Amino acid sequence: LDSTEVVTTSDFTKMVFRRLLPASTPISKILYPFQFKPRLTLSAKTIRTRYGIAPDDFVVFFNFDYRSGFYRKNPEGVLRTFASALGDHADAKLVFKTMRSKDYPTYATRLRALAQTLGIGNRIIFVDTFVPQDELIALTDACDVYISLHRGEGFGLGIAEAMSLGKPVVVTDYSAPTEFCNRENAITIPWSRVSVRADQRDDIQAYHHVKTWSEPDLHVAANSLRKLYNDRGFAKELGEKGRLFINDYFSDANFKKSIETFLSR
């Protein structure tokens, strides 16, 4: 297919495609083509009531799709981090918004079992049903922190959406999110490069070529989560820095510039 051209939205995925595809295949990056200008149609109070969250609860949020790779998304790392950081705080809750859990019952059961083992079974809310986009945005807004301890990420839409809402984010300092998450506007978690174990390859063919990925430092992540809980002023300031950065980085002007650069080639 000599006429094939690949267009992607991050330098990280551009690098990956470059490694995998023939040198003759053109690969370009454009800025993410959707605006991060959330329109809230439901109040935080309404959402918290709907999902059984108390008004004063400190809520940590993670949104992932089982089909995107259970081990790559690393929800178990999030559970362990939350338990270590806030397991003894009754007003701290963890919300997992998932997709396609029914297609991956083994992983879904495993997560619930781990939550029980860690002693946070009654502190985690699993939202496995379909949620309309406006409600998902409202759910993100109703939470206090977004966390993603991924081992690799092609873009990080949930992270960017949370930042656009002024939510502080705790993220692995690796792959595509590093293009819009830095030490000034997010809490970035150090990592070590490790080999992907055979039992971590899931059934997703696209990831079978991956030999190594990042292993985030859960001790640092737990300390970071604890800091956000204890210092709400810092959390608010960090969230505002993230919001301003996202609004600027993914602005209409920058998107227009990236498209013009792409077309000029």
Side-chain angles (χ1 to χ4, degrees), residues 9-12 29 31-32 36 146 148 150 153-164 167 169 171-188 238-239 241-250:
T9 57
S10 74
D11 292 327
F12 180 76
K29 174 199 168 184
L31 203 64
Y32 188 77
F36 291 99
Y146 189 92
S148 177
H150 54 267
E153 187 63 79
F155 180 74
L157 180 57
I159 301 167
E161 287 177 339
M163 292 174 73
S164 75
K167 303 300 169 180
V169 297
V171 299
T172 310
D173 192 21
Y174 177 70
S175 57
T178 62
E179 294 173 35
F180 52 87
C181 292
N182 56 57
R183 294 181 181 180
E184 297 298 320
N185 63 25
I187 295 182
T188 55
L238 184 65
K241 287 179 178 178
R243 187 186 69 80
L244 293 173
F245 185 92
I246 290 294
N247 286 345
D248 177 65
Y249 187 75
F250 293 102

Side-chain angles (χ1 to χ4, degrees), residues 60 74-88 94 96 114 118 120 147-149 170 172 189 215-226:
V60 180
N74 195 20
E76 292 180 312
V78 174
L79 281 182
R80 296 182 189 282
T81 295
F82 179 86
S84 175
L86 303 172
D88 56 350
L94 178 62
F96 270 9
L114 178 59
L118 293 171
I120 58 171
I147 188 168
S148 177
L149 299 177
V170 178
T172 310
I189 304 303
E215 190 62 49
D217 188 325
L218 301 189
H219 178 71
V220 175
N223 286 340
S224 301
L225 207 54
R226 197 176 297 115

Side-chain angles (χ1 to χ4, degrees), residues 92-198:
K93 299 293 192 301
L94 178 62
V95 175
F96 270 9
K97 170 63 188 79
T98 69
M99 292 180 63
R100 284 176 265 269
S101 63
K102 291 182 180 179
D103 296 333
Y104 297 88
T106 300
Y107 290 147
T109 300
R110 177 170 162 171
L111 273 188
R112 285 166 172 75
L114 178 59
Q116 293 295 335
T117 299
L118 293 171
I120 58 171
N122 64 338
R123 309 265 300 289
I124 181 169
I125 299 169
F126 288 98
V127 183
D128 292 325
T129 56
F130 170 76
V131 173
Q133 182 64 19
D134 62 337
E135 185 169 333
L136 178 59
I137 292 296
L139 179 58
T140 306
D141 184 61
C143 297
D144 296 286
V145 177
Y146 189 92
I147 188 168
S148 177
L149 299 177
H150 54 267
R151 295 184 170 107
E153 187 63 79
F155 180 74
L157 180 57
I159 301 167
E161 287 177 339
M163 292 174 73
S164 75
L165 291 162
K167 303 300 169 180
V169 297
V170 178
V171 299
T172 310
D173 192 21
Y174 177 70
S175 57
T178 62
E179 294 173 35
F180 52 87
C181 292
N182 56 57
R183 294 181 181 180
E184 297 298 320
N185 63 25
I187 295 182
T188 55
I189 304 303
W191 53 276
S192 302
R193 185 172 297 281
V194 299
S195 298
V196 181
R197 301 193 314 264

